[in-house]
Amino acid sequence: MKDLGQVDLHPNNFGPDFQWGVSTAAYQIEGAHDIDGKGLSIWDVFTSRRGKVKNNQHGQVACDFYNCFENDIRYVRDLNIPNFRFSVSWPRIMPTGRYPVNQPGIDYYNRVIDFCLECGIEPWLTLYHWDLPQALELKGGWTNREIIDWFSDYTELCVKSFGDRVKNWMVMNEPSVFTGAGYFLGIHAPGKTGLKNFLPAIHHVTLSTSAAGRILKNILPEAKVGTTFSCSHIEPNTSSSRDLAAAKRVDALLNRTFIEPVLGLGYPMEDLPVLRRLEKYIKAGDEALMPFDFDFIGLQNYTREIVKSSFFTPYVWASLVKAEKRNVPITEMKWEVYPPSIYHIIKKFNAYPQIRKIIITENGAAFTDELKDAEVRDIERTDYIRENLKYVLKAKDEGCKVDGYFVWTLTDNFEWAEGYHPRFGLIYVDFETQERVIKHSGLWYKSFLKQKTR
Ligand code: GAL
């Protein structure tokens, strides 16, 4: 095992096939919320409800990527980033979530894809990054089992429209976050709460994920098909048996509930008993439909969580010990800065023999950025990325099947319930003028990637 000091951080040391990239998501950057026939998404509706997002902000304009995409994709090229991950907004191409198709929406993504290719950048497409068509939410959204068909039709449309040029696909973005925050806690769109929404959403997302995987591979056997999961390294607060058991339940909820059924292992009901109530939604034949052999699994990691047992939190009987109370360095999101987390996560998922390949499809941090003399000296973000990369390389050096790293994110953007305040970008955005300034972290990533010679 190498100590971190012995890790030589050079892009060549990650190997010639390692995929370097940057990630984005439609609702967070595109704006143009009602342009060219786009339908409403659940985020358009959620952000219009007062008090749901900090300062009642919304993504109506965001980074205006819809109009500025050429400019922003040129930045990707100029930063020497070979892979650009973005998502398709379902209601932009299917305003009601179903047929008929909105051709201007398809044309827009064709322009984005073509421009990436013109710039020598590989487009990586995510099918679902949280902006469900509102028309489908009115029918129950992810709680309605019919969504498996709706999502399958949408997937097929994307594959048939873009599959001649897009070679890398991701089905879902972080199911535990959009179901947990959107259908259990109610703090993200569509703002639903409780187990009666959360449990069916879990099962329908699982079935939709594998259904979409099969459609992609049937139509595009050569494509690289993956799906992404949010994951955090979990540690118990003390070594008491109660905290250990609590940590195990939280680990099952945050890190295992969505991936294990896809890997053919079923839901982790043993370790998180509340999941037994999923049985109500599981129909005969579902078990065979849940697994899908993805070419890669996208892991998205930002921090670690410290867990203690709690009698006040139903179902998981556990709570997170806030980083602010632990006297540790934190980001603007109040997440602990703890780069070893990514190493532990890679090791943990590497141990599943069913996973063929791991790609870190998001990693990054929000810090208070100050624009001064046309520069943003974001030393903390640069350090964060550099340290995380060292841990990725350490895991790779130790034989883990990790084959890519995508920074979250290209430009500062709409950070969901937090609005525009936490800035995650490699590029600073003045949201009044839409001016961009490459931050020092962006310049660092650019010079780092420039060293790649093979
Ligand atoms: C992820 C999400 C992104 C981005 C990031 C930073 O959970 O996929 O959309 O917001 O977190 O919070």
Side-chain angles (χ1 to χ4, degrees):
M1 214 182 266
K2 270 191 184 171
D3 240 45
L4 204 61
Q6 296 169 283
V7 170
D8 177 12
L9 189 61
H10 188 290
N12 287 350
N13 294 341
F14 289 76
D17 299 325
F18 196 85
Q19 307 283 359
W20 295 97
V22 67
S23 291
T24 63
Y27 189 76
Q28 295 180 273
I29 59 170
E30 283 180 356
H33 69 115
D34 60 355
I35 305 280
D36 294 341
K38 176 184 165 290
L40 281 178
S41 82
I42 54 174
W43 274 93
D44 291 315
V45 174
F46 189 73
T47 53
S48 70
R49 287 161 61 187
R50 284 196 73 73
K52 294 295 174 193
V53 173
K54 276 205 188 127
N55 303 316
N56 295 310
Q57 288 172 329
H58 50 69
Q60 290 182 6
V61 178
C63 311
D64 198 26
F65 184 83
Y66 189 82
N67 294 305
C68 305
F69 70 86
E70 294 193 349
N71 181 54
D72 287 353
I73 292 169
R74 270 189 217 108
Y75 274 116
V76 178
R77 180 194 61 198
D78 295 349
L79 293 182
N80 301 319
I81 304 174
N83 297 294
F84 178 58
R85 175 180 173 222
F86 64 95
S87 73
V88 170
S89 158
W90 186 349
R92 197 180 285 292
I93 67 167
M94 287 179 140
T96 62
R98 314 218 53 202
Y99 287 102
V101 171
N102 179 40
Q103 193 54 42
I106 301 272
D107 295 344
Y108 160 68
Y109 289 109
N110 277 329
R111 292 197 296 278
V112 170
I113 293 163
D114 289 344
F115 195 69
C116 282
L117 296 171
E118 220 176 291
C119 291
I121 295 163
E122 261 322 303
W124 288 55
L125 192 155
T126 312
L127 288 171
Y128 187 75
H129 203 129
W130 307 356
D131 44 356
L132 185 74
Q134 173 67 9
L136 299 183
E137 181 53 37
L138 293 175
K139 296 179 182 165
W142 290 104
T143 69
N144 184 338
R145 195 177 163 101
E146 281 182 60
I147 198 160
I148 305 162
D149 292 335
W150 305 334
F151 190 67
S152 296
D153 286 349
Y154 161 67
T155 300
E156 194 181 277
L157 173 65
C158 288
V159 180
K160 290 191 168 156
S161 307
F162 313 127
D164 55 333
R165 287 150 295 149
V166 177
K167 311 282 175 236
N168 297 282
W169 295 76
M170 285 143 289
V171 175
M172 297 284 173
N173 183 73
E174 299 192 346
S176 63
V177 178
F178 77 80
T179 58
Y183 287 85
F184 185 69
L185 298 172
I187 54 172
H188 275 192
K192 285 186 169 163
T193 54
L195 279 188
K196 66 177 188 310
N197 289 309
F198 185 44
L199 293 174
I202 292 178
H203 190 50
H204 303 147
V205 168
T206 298
L207 289 169
S208 301
T209 304
S210 42
R214 281 187 285 274
I215 292 167
L216 270 151
K217 271 292 185 188
N218 280 343
I219 308 178
L220 298 174
E222 302 300 319
K224 298 280 175 262
V225 178
T227 191
T228 82
F229 299 95
S230 131
C231 41
S232 295
H233 175 54
I234 308 286
E235 286 178 30
N237 191 37
T238 69
S239 54
S240 72
S241 56
R242 277 198 182 138
D243 283 354
L244 287 170
K248 201 168 191 181
R249 288 191 295 276
V250 170
D251 179 53
L253 177 67
L254 299 185
N255 294 326
R256 298 172 52 204
T257 296
F258 285 89
I259 196 169
E260 291 197 353
V262 167
L263 300 180
L265 302 168
Y267 295 109
M269 294 181 184
E270 291 271 292
D271 290 328
L272 186 61
V274 66
L275 294 180
R276 294 218 172 91
R277 302 193 203 177
L278 275 167
E279 269 155 14
K280 189 169 151 196
Y281 305 97
I282 303 179
K283 296 206 169 160
D286 281 3
E287 242 128 69
L289 294 173
M290 279 151 56
F292 181 72
D293 186 13
F294 281 100
D295 296 310
F296 68 92
I297 292 295
L299 300 182
Q300 319 201 144
N301 173 252
Y302 289 88
T303 190
R304 75 165 159 179
E305 300 294 356
I306 305 290
V307 174
K308 66 175 181 190
S309 125
S310 157
F311 294 113
F312 305 106
T313 323
Y315 315 123
V316 281
W317 310 112
S319 63
L320 305 179
V321 185
K322 288 189 178 153
E324 291 158 282
K325 296 199 173 146
R326 289 191 266 120
N327 195 24
V328 291
I330 56 173
T331 69
E332 284 273 283
M333 297 292 280
K334 303 197 166 52
W335 297 341
E336 182 184 2
V337 176
Y338 187 71
S341 177
I342 203 161
Y343 168 80
H344 294 301
I345 280 299
I346 295 169
K347 286 267 162 169
K348 176 182 174 74
F349 286 88
N350 190 68
Y352 287 102
Q354 300 87 345
I355 295 181
R356 289 166 180 267
K357 190 194 271 193
I358 293 169
I359 294 190
I360 303 297
T361 37
E362 284 183 24
N363 175 244
F367 291 107
T368 356
D369 292 326
E370 209 194 332
L371 178 64
K372 216 173 146 200
D373 306 325
E375 284 187 61
V376 179
R377 299 172 178 275
D378 56 337
I379 300 163
E380 288 166 302
R381 183 175 295 100
T382 312
D383 283 350
Y384 179 99
I385 296 173
R386 199 193 281 129
E387 289 306 297
N388 272 267
L389 277 174
K390 282 188 192 164
Y391 277 104
V392 174
L393 185 53
K394 176 174 157 67
K396 182 147 178 97
D397 283 348
E398 288 167 20
C400 291
K401 48 199 170 195
V402 53
D403 253 321
Y405 177 91
F406 286 59
V407 174
W408 180 267
T409 179
L410 181 64
T411 56
D412 295 335
N413 60 36
F414 177 75
E415 177 52 32
W416 309 114
E418 303 300 317
Y420 290 94
H421 181 66
R423 292 174 173 270
F424 274 90
L426 293 173
I427 297 173
Y428 183 91
V429 176
D430 177 329
F431 290 102
E432 299 284 308
T433 61
Q434 290 298 342
E435 262 172 73
R436 273 83 165 131
V437 175
I438 304 176
K439 300 179 194 176
H440 279 213
S441 57
L443 296 171
W444 178 82
Y445 199 42
K446 171 182 177 166
S447 58
F448 173 74
L449 293 176
K450 189 157 186 235
Q451 300 170 60
K452 190 170 182 326
T453 53
R454 55 183 168 83

